[in-house]
Amino acid sequence: MRKIVLATMLLASAIGGASAADGKLVLYTSQPNTDAQQTVDAFMAKNPGIKVEWVRDGTPKILAKLRAEIEAGQPQADVLLIADVVTMEGLKKEGRLLSFPEADVSGIDAALYDKDKTYFSTKLITTGIVYNTKAPFVPSSWEDLTKPEAKGLIAMPSPLTSGAAMIHTVTLTGNLPEGWDYYNALAKNGAQASGGNGDVLKAVSGGDKLFGMIVDYMPIREKAKGAPVEFVFPKEGVSAVTEPVAILSTAKDTEAAKAFVDFLLSKDGQEVAAKMGYIPARADVALPAGYPDRSSIKVLAYDAAAALANDAANKEKFGAVMSQ
């Protein structure tokens, strides 16, 4: 009888374990297609019982799709993996995100995840300075872009069209002593804000501009391919987009969703991010080739909740400053 009871307990345990490891997951992401496929493939290799269906688009379009589904009473996504924490903060405020208090955040700075554990940063995509190797000087500070030698030679993405650029603007104005006067100085020095990070890379690598504000991985990758560009992490510090992940409160398979979040935050998941060429969120995972030591990169403070509340005002302020 004891053997039968023990066998029954083992069988129940096995069934319980299988249910946690099996399931279906619907992921909405703004990752580039190649990155999304690599992320999903790596997760399913570790969790073969979970099938992942994913939809990829820019964050604004992903959000519009999700809102349309919510309005119709049929939200499809279980998990969001998108560009920025401001969007996540807005969804949290609406009660759209599920708290995951037991998430394993080993090796991840508390500043990189929501205090209520509704969303978690998965990597750091910082914004620094790119320069063409023919530039008249090598920049080391944000202040260098206001020098006379850089006049008319600066490209930057527009915060009016790029979420990362808006985060960067809010971060710099909130941390540099000059605040918005720094952007006044950039405008007077002929800095041009237009398009996205790809446009900045094209302008600087092609020599139309010699300096630019840009996300780190783009020039680092292009330099490795032979482009005449270098990337600098300014001494004052950098802003960061952190590609957070969150489980929706309407998720149909919360166990599969939690397994996905745990994978992204695990050492294995973070090594996948590093292999893609990004700075992993975990401090115990090495940075990709082309990056300096992690200790030399200073990430500036950023208040996502305040940025969300002041978004319209910040965009209006930027437009007024840069059009002078």
Side-chain angles (χ1 to χ4, degrees):
M1 177 62 73
R2 184 179 177 185
K3 288 182 179 179
I4 293 174
V5 171
L6 180 59
T8 302
M9 290 173 65
L10 289 172
L11 179 60
S13 175
I15 292 172
S19 65
D22 295 344
K24 175 187 171 184
L25 181 69
V26 178
L27 168 69
Y28 281 11
T29 183
S30 63
Q31 284 188 308
N33 282 314
T34 301
D35 291 357
Q37 190 64 65
Q38 289 180 27
T39 300
V40 168
D41 288 347
F43 169 72
M44 290 198 297
K46 290 285 184 180
N47 299 270
I50 300 177
K51 179 184 178 183
V52 180
E53 295 179 1
W54 56 279
V55 174
R56 189 272 157 195
D57 213 325
T59 295
K61 291 185 178 180
I62 284 290
L63 202 60
K65 177 177 173 61
L66 178 62
R67 290 199 182 286
E69 292 172 353
I70 291 172
E71 184 70 21
Q74 295 181 324
Q76 300 299 306
D78 296 301
V79 175
L80 290 180
L81 177 59
I82 54 177
D84 65 273
V85 293
V86 177
T87 301
M88 290 298 197
E89 192 65 31
L91 291 169
K92 176 190 174 183
K93 190 175 180 181
E94 295 171 17
R96 301 292 181 192
L97 304 183
L98 181 72
S99 178
F100 183 14
E102 64 272 28
D104 186 354
V105 292
S106 303
I108 299 178
D109 191 301
L112 293 178
Y113 55 85
D114 171 42
K115 62 181 177 62
D116 298 315
K117 292 188 176 179
T118 62
Y119 60 83
F120 308 84
S121 298
T122 62
K123 56 180 65 70
L124 298 176
I125 302 174
T126 70
T127 290
I129 299 173
V130 60
Y131 67 93
N132 188 290
T133 52
K134 293 182 179 179
F137 66 90
V138 175
S140 62
S141 163
W142 291 115
E143 299 299 329
D144 288 337
L145 297 184
T146 65
K147 287 182 175 181
E149 303 96 303
K151 190 174 181 65
L153 300 175
I154 308 157
M156 52 195 284
S158 173
L160 305 181
T161 57
S162 166
M166 189 73 252
I167 288 173
H168 180 64
T169 300
V170 171
T171 301
L172 286 194
T173 55
N175 285 275
L176 295 183
E178 304 91 333
W180 279 103
D181 284 342
Y182 175 68
Y183 277 85
N184 273 313
L186 286 178
K188 290 176 181 176
N189 213 29
Q192 293 184 354
S194 178
N197 286 277
D199 298 298
V200 173
L201 180 63
K202 184 178 179 181
V204 176
S205 63
D208 294 332
K209 301 292 182 182
L210 298 182
F211 303 96
M213 293 182 175
I214 195 170
V215 291
D216 53 27
Y217 70 90
M218 285 188 174
I220 289 174
R221 286 178 182 176
E222 290 307 301
K223 177 189 174 182
K225 297 175 185 176
V229 294
E230 296 281 352
F231 182 77
V232 174
F233 292 87
K235 62 184 180 182
E236 299 94 339
V238 292
S239 66
V241 174
T242 60
E243 203 165 272
V245 64
I247 302 170
L248 286 165
S249 58
T250 50
K252 296 179 179 66
D253 193 334
T254 56
E255 291 307 308
K258 288 178 179 179
F260 186 78
V261 172
D262 273 338
F263 171 74
L264 291 186
L265 303 181
S266 72
K267 197 165 185 180
D268 286 341
Q270 291 287 288
E271 286 173 351
V272 171
K275 286 177 183 175
M276 291 177 186
Y278 302 112
I279 300 174
R282 282 181 69 120
D284 57 354
V285 177
L287 273 62
Y291 287 81
D293 187 83
R294 185 187 289 268
S295 62
S296 69
I297 302 172
K298 179 183 177 183
V299 178
L300 296 170
Y302 175 74
D303 187 333
L308 176 66
N310 299 319
D311 186 56
N314 285 330
K315 287 177 178 175
E316 183 177 349
K317 179 70 173 177
F318 180 85
V321 167
M322 297 305 293
S323 62
Q324 63 182 334

